[in-house]
mmCIF file of all heavy atoms in Angstrom:
data_model
loop_
_atom_site.group_PDB
_atom_site.id
_atom_site.type_symbol
_atom_site.label_atom_id
_atom_site.label_comp_id
_atom_site.label_asym_id
_atom_site.label_seq_id
_atom_site.Cartn_x
_atom_site.Cartn_y
_atom_site.Cartn_z
ATOM 1 N N GLY Y 28 12.475 44.318 6.378
ATOM 2 C CA GLY Y 28 13.060 44.916 7.520
ATOM 3 C C GLY Y 28 12.151 44.780 8.761
ATOM 4 O O GLY Y 28 12.359 45.635 9.673
ATOM 5 N N LEU Y 29 11.325 43.776 8.744
ATOM 6 C CA LEU Y 29 10.325 43.599 9.876
ATOM 7 C C LEU Y 29 10.491 42.311 10.593
ATOM 8 O O LEU Y 29 9.573 41.779 11.176
ATOM 9 C CB LEU Y 29 8.920 43.761 9.318
ATOM 10 C CG LEU Y 29 8.576 45.153 8.740
ATOM 11 C CD1 LEU Y 29 7.253 45.074 7.983
ATOM 12 C CD2 LEU Y 29 8.522 46.209 9.835
ATOM 13 N N GLU Y 30 11.698 41.746 10.609
ATOM 14 C CA GLU Y 30 11.921 40.453 11.152
ATOM 15 C C GLU Y 30 11.627 40.438 12.660
ATOM 16 O O GLU Y 30 11.011 39.497 13.172
ATOM 17 C CB GLU Y 30 13.418 40.051 10.936
ATOM 18 C CG GLU Y 30 13.809 38.688 11.568
ATOM 19 C CD GLU Y 30 15.270 38.435 11.425
ATOM 20 O OE1 GLU Y 30 16.052 39.277 10.800
ATOM 21 O OE2 GLU Y 30 15.693 37.387 11.921
ATOM 22 N N ALA Y 31 12.153 41.441 13.433
ATOM 23 C CA ALA Y 31 11.945 41.443 14.860
ATOM 24 C C ALA Y 31 10.433 41.410 15.250
ATOM 25 O O ALA Y 31 10.007 40.723 16.188
ATOM 26 C CB ALA Y 31 12.638 42.613 15.458
ATOM 27 N N GLU Y 32 9.633 42.172 14.538
ATOM 28 C CA GLU Y 32 8.168 42.220 14.826
ATOM 29 C C GLU Y 32 7.554 40.852 14.617
ATOM 30 O O GLU Y 32 6.632 40.437 15.411
ATOM 31 C CB GLU Y 32 7.513 43.251 13.898
ATOM 32 C CG GLU Y 32 7.863 44.692 14.267
ATOM 33 C CD GLU Y 32 9.112 45.194 13.511
ATOM 34 O OE1 GLU Y 32 9.921 44.336 13.133
ATOM 35 O OE2 GLU Y 32 9.264 46.436 13.436
ATOM 36 N N THR Y 33 7.951 40.108 13.598
ATOM 37 C CA THR Y 33 7.330 38.821 13.285
ATOM 38 C C THR Y 33 7.936 37.777 14.197
ATOM 39 O O THR Y 33 7.150 36.863 14.564
ATOM 40 C CB THR Y 33 7.576 38.464 11.858
ATOM 41 O OG1 THR Y 33 7.236 39.531 10.972
ATOM 42 C CG2 THR Y 33 6.831 37.194 11.490
ATOM 43 N N VAL Y 34 9.149 37.874 14.630
ATOM 44 C CA VAL Y 34 9.609 36.978 15.676
ATOM 45 C C VAL Y 34 8.873 37.069 16.950
ATOM 46 O O VAL Y 34 8.498 36.053 17.612
ATOM 47 C CB VAL Y 34 11.129 37.193 15.941
ATOM 48 C CG1 VAL Y 34 11.614 36.435 17.172
ATOM 49 C CG2 VAL Y 34 12.006 36.685 14.720
ATOM 50 N N ALA Y 35 8.494 38.274 17.334
ATOM 51 C CA ALA Y 35 7.627 38.514 18.485
ATOM 52 C C ALA Y 35 6.300 37.859 18.316
ATOM 53 O O ALA Y 35 5.676 37.338 19.230
ATOM 54 C CB ALA Y 35 7.499 40.005 18.741
ATOM 55 N N LEU Y 36 5.747 37.999 17.122
ATOM 56 C CA LEU Y 36 4.399 37.280 16.801
ATOM 57 C C LEU Y 36 4.549 35.754 16.908
ATOM 58 O O LEU Y 36 3.632 35.095 17.461
ATOM 59 C CB LEU Y 36 3.873 37.718 15.494
ATOM 60 C CG LEU Y 36 3.364 39.145 15.362
ATOM 61 C CD1 LEU Y 36 2.947 39.443 13.956
ATOM 62 C CD2 LEU Y 36 2.187 39.370 16.319
ATOM 63 N N ASP Y 37 5.665 35.231 16.468
ATOM 64 C CA ASP Y 37 5.886 33.752 16.501
ATOM 65 C C ASP Y 37 5.962 33.320 17.922
ATOM 66 O O ASP Y 37 5.369 32.301 18.301
ATOM 67 C CB ASP Y 37 7.145 33.416 15.788
ATOM 68 C CG ASP Y 37 7.023 33.311 14.322
ATOM 69 O OD1 ASP Y 37 5.945 33.550 13.789
ATOM 70 O OD2 ASP Y 37 8.036 32.941 13.664
ATOM 71 N N ARG Y 38 6.598 34.093 18.821
ATOM 72 C CA ARG Y 38 6.641 33.789 20.226
ATOM 73 C C ARG Y 38 5.266 33.804 20.934
ATOM 74 O O ARG Y 38 4.928 33.001 21.676
ATOM 75 C CB ARG Y 38 7.625 34.659 20.910
ATOM 76 C CG ARG Y 38 9.056 34.459 20.628
ATOM 77 C CD ARG Y 38 9.992 35.507 21.147
ATOM 78 N NE ARG Y 38 11.368 35.249 20.830
ATOM 79 C CZ ARG Y 38 12.311 36.177 20.860
ATOM 80 N NH1 ARG Y 38 12.070 37.466 21.128
ATOM 81 N NH2 ARG Y 38 13.548 35.867 20.572
ATOM 82 N N ALA Y 39 4.498 34.809 20.442
ATOM 83 C CA ALA Y 39 3.129 34.951 20.971
ATOM 84 C C ALA Y 39 2.175 33.802 20.693
ATOM 85 O O ALA Y 39 1.513 33.336 21.510
ATOM 86 C CB ALA Y 39 2.535 36.237 20.560
ATOM 87 N N ILE Y 40 2.298 33.299 19.425
ATOM 88 C CA ILE Y 40 1.388 32.234 19.005
ATOM 89 C C ILE Y 40 1.892 30.901 19.605
ATOM 90 O O ILE Y 40 1.151 29.990 20.037
ATOM 91 C CB ILE Y 40 1.282 32.152 17.477
ATOM 92 C CG1 ILE Y 40 0.111 31.184 17.124
ATOM 93 C CG2 ILE Y 40 2.567 31.698 16.784
ATOM 94 C CD1 ILE Y 40 -0.256 31.274 15.688
ATOM 95 N N THR Y 41 3.225 30.721 19.701
ATOM 96 C CA THR Y 41 3.816 29.471 20.292
ATOM 97 C C THR Y 41 3.396 29.383 21.778
ATOM 98 O O THR Y 41 3.118 28.305 22.272
ATOM 99 C CB THR Y 41 5.364 29.564 20.191
ATOM 100 O OG1 THR Y 41 5.725 29.506 18.815
ATOM 101 C CG2 THR Y 41 5.966 28.320 20.873
ATOM 102 N N ALA Y 42 3.327 30.557 22.501
ATOM 103 C CA ALA Y 42 2.989 30.617 23.864
ATOM 104 C C ALA Y 42 1.478 30.603 24.112
ATOM 105 O O ALA Y 42 0.987 30.511 25.200
ATOM 106 C CB ALA Y 42 3.555 31.850 24.539
ATOM 107 N N GLY Y 43 0.687 30.664 23.042
ATOM 108 C CA GLY Y 43 -0.723 30.573 23.120
ATOM 109 C C GLY Y 43 -1.410 31.902 23.488
ATOM 110 O O GLY Y 43 -2.594 31.932 23.798
ATOM 111 N N ARG Y 44 -0.631 33.013 23.394
ATOM 112 C CA ARG Y 44 -1.267 34.320 23.767
ATOM 113 C C ARG Y 44 -2.110 34.823 22.643
ATOM 114 O O ARG Y 44 -2.961 35.632 22.829
ATOM 115 C CB ARG Y 44 -0.088 35.300 24.034
ATOM 116 C CG ARG Y 44 0.705 34.957 25.226
ATOM 117 C CD ARG Y 44 1.557 36.107 25.684
ATOM 118 N NE ARG Y 44 2.480 36.579 24.723
ATOM 119 C CZ ARG Y 44 3.790 36.026 24.599
ATOM 120 N NH1 ARG Y 44 4.185 35.096 25.413
ATOM 121 N NH2 ARG Y 44 4.584 36.516 23.609
ATOM 122 N N ILE Y 45 -1.883 34.321 21.346
ATOM 123 C CA ILE Y 45 -2.736 34.694 20.244
ATOM 124 C C ILE Y 45 -2.972 33.408 19.443
ATOM 125 O O ILE Y 45 -2.270 32.453 19.555
ATOM 126 C CB ILE Y 45 -2.183 35.772 19.299
ATOM 127 C CG1 ILE Y 45 -0.846 35.281 18.675
ATOM 128 C CG2 ILE Y 45 -2.043 37.096 19.978
ATOM 129 C CD1 ILE Y 45 -0.265 36.217 17.658
ATOM 130 N N GLY Y 46 -4.040 33.406 18.698
ATOM 131 C CA GLY Y 46 -4.357 32.201 17.862
ATOM 132 C C GLY Y 46 -4.029 32.426 16.488
ATOM 133 O O GLY Y 46 -3.678 33.559 16.012
ATOM 134 N N PRO Y 47 -4.172 31.442 15.581
ATOM 135 C CA PRO Y 47 -3.851 31.582 14.175
ATOM 136 C C PRO Y 47 -4.584 32.767 13.478
ATOM 137 O O PRO Y 47 -3.940 33.511 12.677
ATOM 138 C CB PRO Y 47 -4.219 30.246 13.533
ATOM 139 C CG PRO Y 47 -4.005 29.331 14.736
ATOM 140 C CD PRO Y 47 -4.446 30.059 15.946
ATOM 141 N N PRO Y 48 -5.845 33.044 13.717
ATOM 142 C CA PRO Y 48 -6.486 34.153 13.016
ATOM 143 C C PRO Y 48 -5.837 35.524 13.383
ATOM 144 O O PRO Y 48 -5.702 36.361 12.479
ATOM 145 C CB PRO Y 48 -7.980 34.005 13.423
ATOM 146 C CG PRO Y 48 -8.124 32.587 13.794
ATOM 147 C CD PRO Y 48 -6.827 32.234 14.386
#
Side-chain angles (χ1 to χ4, degrees):
L29 297 168
E30 177 185 359
E32 290 86 343
T33 309
V34 168
L36 288 175
D37 278 5
R38 289 174 178 156
I40 194 170
T41 298
R44 296 194 298 273
I45 61 174

